[in-house]
Every structure is written in structure tokens, then in C-alpha cells.
Amino acid sequence: MQKEAMLYQTLEDDRVRCRLCAHYCKIDPQAYGFCGVRRNIDGRLHTLVYGETIARHVDPIEKKPLYHFLPGSRAYSIATPGCNFHCDFCQNWQISQLSGDYTPVNRTPSFPPEAVVGAAQENNCDVIAYTYTEPTIFFEYAYDTARLAQKAGIRNVFVTNGYMSPKAVEAVSPYLDGANVDLKAWSESYYATHCRAHLKPVLDTIRRMKEAGIWLEITTLIIPGENDAPDQLTDLTRFIAGVDENIPWHISRFHPDYRLTDAQATPMETLHQAKAIGEHAGLRFIYIGNAPADNTTYCPECGQPVVERDGMGVKNIRIKDHACGACGTRIPGVWE
């Protein structure tokens, strides 16, 4: 469904400037933004994917991945087509790289915010996750849904590339409880080559979300020969620790996909080396994803397990009043 967009300005000759993400697209009449799902229609910017879910599922919150946010809870997860990145390694490219005028045979009827909140309640979900593609590009839909969800006592989380404008972060932060931000590399050339974007806006979003009080976790997909150099990982993890050493860092294993099928899967040795680098930088909670690993959360003071996981499942939680059940050390996160 078409709906007039938020966060844009009108320009001369019926052009518009989108102010939703860090591309700040200047869009001619009848043309699309970089994301392919926002269009200038007669001098007014419109979102083309309001209520147009291309995926909706019930997931464990650990799949986002969010490990310090209501562990063991269920997240009603939604996505629309489109993305403001064009990553050549995207593992959801079948839906993220569609434009707003896609017409698949199985296109479902519009699913408005009220329906999302109702479905979350029916499925006993404590969280709504805006995920799979990029929630920034379906911002109006996510924003309206999040406001309704908050009134219903349901938490909201973004799984995002972080390429948001300051105005977008400011607008959604009162309704956003958590986020997992992809920090894809510590390299401007990597962002330019692989994502057609820039690094700095992502770093700025991470800082702004932290300042806004949004619970934050960060994921880095490690691609051999592309972003796994020790000096890059050292700078990346020092940045995270400089924002907050308690931010959980998820190191994700790469598997060849989309347009990057000639690269090898990430060796386990590389993932463990990245974890050691992160620990040296001062990060207190590091997890390895997309690969067999011990992803138990341990108390950084006494070393006892406080959240034991088995894959995407949670076996045991030993946190009481936000603290380790063994020694009483506060464990950062959203636990209840």
C-alpha cells in the first residue's frame, strides 16, 4: 500500500529529499530512492511497502541475534521488501533486493500495524522484531506498529544495518527497546565496495542508540580476506568497547551466497581469533554465530554461567534482579 512518507523535504521542480537514511536521496518526480521502495509521486514522497509484509514468522529472540534481551522469549518477526544497502553477500537477497513495485504470484494482502500486534498477542510473543530486510526502509510501518505494540505491553526491536539519519533514530527511539546493529567492517572501502554505503553513519547510529537508552548488541559477519585482518578487528572492537564494553558482540560465520559465492566459508580459527581480539579490546560478552560454539553467557566476575543456551534455545537462566545468581554481580541486559 502507498502512504505518504515521513522525514522528507520538498524541493524545487517537484523534487524531494528523503531524510530517512544516510543516503539522503534527492529524488526526481516519479523516480525511486536508492532503496527502491520510496517514490516521488507528483512532488510528494511515498512509501510503497506500508503493510506489505513479505515475511512474518515467530522466532526465538536469540535468532535476531539478541542474547541479553528477554532470553527465551518469542519474537513476532516482520519484513517488507527492499533495503538501503546492496550487499553482494546478502543472505536474504531474495527479499531485500526487491523494489516496491514487485508483483510475485504469492503476494499477500496488506497486513496493517493492528494485525501485526494482534498476531504477536495470539502467538504469545513478548517482542515484535523488524528484521530480515532493513527496518529503516519500512520506517513508517515499523513506527506505527511499534507505537501500538508499546501500548499493548509488547517490546520492539530493530535488526538493522544502522544506516539511519539522526532524525530517524530520534523519531523511533521512544518506542524502540532494543536493536542489533550490523557493523560490517572497519573499512570505508569495504562499505563502498560491498554495500554501496559508508562506514561513519553506522558508527554514528550506534552512538545515538546507546545515548537514547536502546539496548544494543552488534553483529559482524566475518568474510575471509575481506574484513578479517587483525588490525581491522582490533579497531572495530576498540570502537565498540569505547561506546560500552558491555555491548554484546556477535561474530557471525560467513557462508557463500548471492554474488559472493567464490569466497570460502569462514574458518573456525578465524572466528576464535576475532573473539580473542575482542576480549583483548575489553569486550565482556562475545558470541560466535552460524557455527557450533559455546554461547553461554558467563558472569564476568565469578565466571559462573548465567544464561545457558543450546543452539537457539535457552536451557537455564540464573539471573535474579538483573544480577548473577551466584555472586550478585549486575549483568547488563533486559532480563524481565
Side-chain angles (χ1 to χ4, degrees):
M1 130 180 213
Q2 287 186 17
K3 181 180 176 69
E4 186 168 2
M6 299 169 62
L7 303 179
Y8 79 97
Q9 68 180 119
T10 57
L11 305 173
E12 60 182 9
D13 299 325
D14 281 340
R15 292 178 298 169
V16 299
R17 171 83 70 184
C18 182
R19 294 195 155 306
L20 180 62
C21 88
H23 285 301
Y24 293 105
C25 294
K26 184 185 288 186
I27 309 172
D28 292 331
Q30 317 315 317
Y32 296 83
F34 183 84
C35 61
V37 298
R38 302 173 80 76
R39 188 181 187 191
N40 178 351
I41 301 175
D42 300 325
R44 297 287 176 182
L45 186 63
H46 286 74
T47 171
L48 305 181
V49 291
Y50 191 94
E52 302 293 340
T53 53
I54 197 167
R56 51 182 189 257
H57 303 283
V58 176
D59 294 322
I61 194 69
E62 286 75 19
K63 187 178 178 181
K64 299 304 103 187
L66 285 165
Y67 278 13
H68 289 229
F69 191 98
L70 303 181
S73 64
R74 292 153 61 91
Y76 194 79
S77 302
I78 63 169
T80 75
C83 189
N84 55 354
F85 276 15
H86 294 330
C87 299
D88 53 14
F89 51 81
C90 182
Q91 297 180 359
N92 284 331
W93 61 271
Q94 296 94 334
I95 57 177
S96 71
Q97 299 307 306
L98 291 173
S99 65
D101 56 0
Y102 80 109
T103 54
V105 173
N106 62 343
R107 186 169 187 166
T108 58
S110 183
F111 201 64
E114 296 83 357
V116 179
V117 173
Q121 292 171 322
E122 289 169 9
N123 286 280
N124 298 314
C125 294
D126 297 311
V127 182
I128 295 176
Y130 310 83
T131 181
Y132 303 137
T133 56
E134 173 50 50
T136 304
I137 59 90
F138 59 91
F139 188 85
E140 295 80 5
Y141 183 35
Y143 178 84
D144 288 349
T145 303
R147 290 196 300 169
L148 290 177
Q150 187 182 79
K151 291 178 182 178
I154 299 173
R155 309 287 183 93
N156 296 287
V157 300
F158 271 17
V159 181
T160 175
N161 59 33
Y163 213 61
M164 303 170 71
S165 72
K167 287 292 186 184
V169 177
E170 179 183 358
V172 77
S173 61
Y175 312 103
L176 191 61
D177 301 286
N180 187 301
V181 179
D182 281 341
L183 180 51
K184 298 180 184 293
W186 193 262
S187 166
E188 171 63 18
S189 64
Y190 179 98
Y191 269 87
T193 300
H194 291 290
C195 310
R196 295 178 63 188
H198 301 284
L199 170 62
K200 185 178 182 300
V202 180
L203 305 182
D204 291 343
T205 291
I206 289 170
R207 294 189 188 97
R208 289 189 185 100
M209 285 187 166
K210 179 63 183 177
E211 291 168 0
I214 297 165
W215 175 254
L216 188 62
E217 304 193 20
I218 291 174
T219 295
T220 303
L221 179 71
I222 305 292
I223 303 178
E226 299 292 341
N227 64 347
D228 60 346
D231 58 338
Q232 279 198 36
L233 292 174
T234 296
D235 289 343
L236 186 150
T237 52
R238 284 177 177 171
F239 165 78
I240 299 173
V243 176
D244 186 345
E245 64 185 6
N246 292 313
I247 294 174
W249 184 41
H250 300 265
I251 309 164
S252 190
R253 191 183 193 195
F254 167 79
H255 297 282
D257 208 337
Y258 194 32
R259 294 174 176 166
L260 203 62
T261 55
D262 55 348
Q264 65 170 326
T266 318
M268 289 301 299
E269 179 183 357
T270 301
L271 300 177
H272 289 296
Q273 181 186 41
K275 184 174 183 179
I277 290 171
E279 290 170 342
H280 185 72
L283 296 179
R284 304 174 79 195
F285 304 100
I286 304 174
Y287 305 100
I288 292 174
N290 283 351
D294 176 13
N295 282 325
T296 292
T297 299
Y298 294 94
C299 173
E301 184 65 29
C302 71
Q304 290 298 305
V306 290
V307 182
E308 294 182 85
R309 299 180 181 88
D310 182 10
M312 293 294 173
V314 173
K315 295 193 299 183
N316 207 341
I317 301 175
R318 298 185 180 91
I319 294 177
K320 183 178 180 181
D321 297 328
H322 303 276
C324 171
C327 72
T329 297
R330 186 171 180 82
I331 308 297
V334 179
W335 305 115
E336 57 187 43

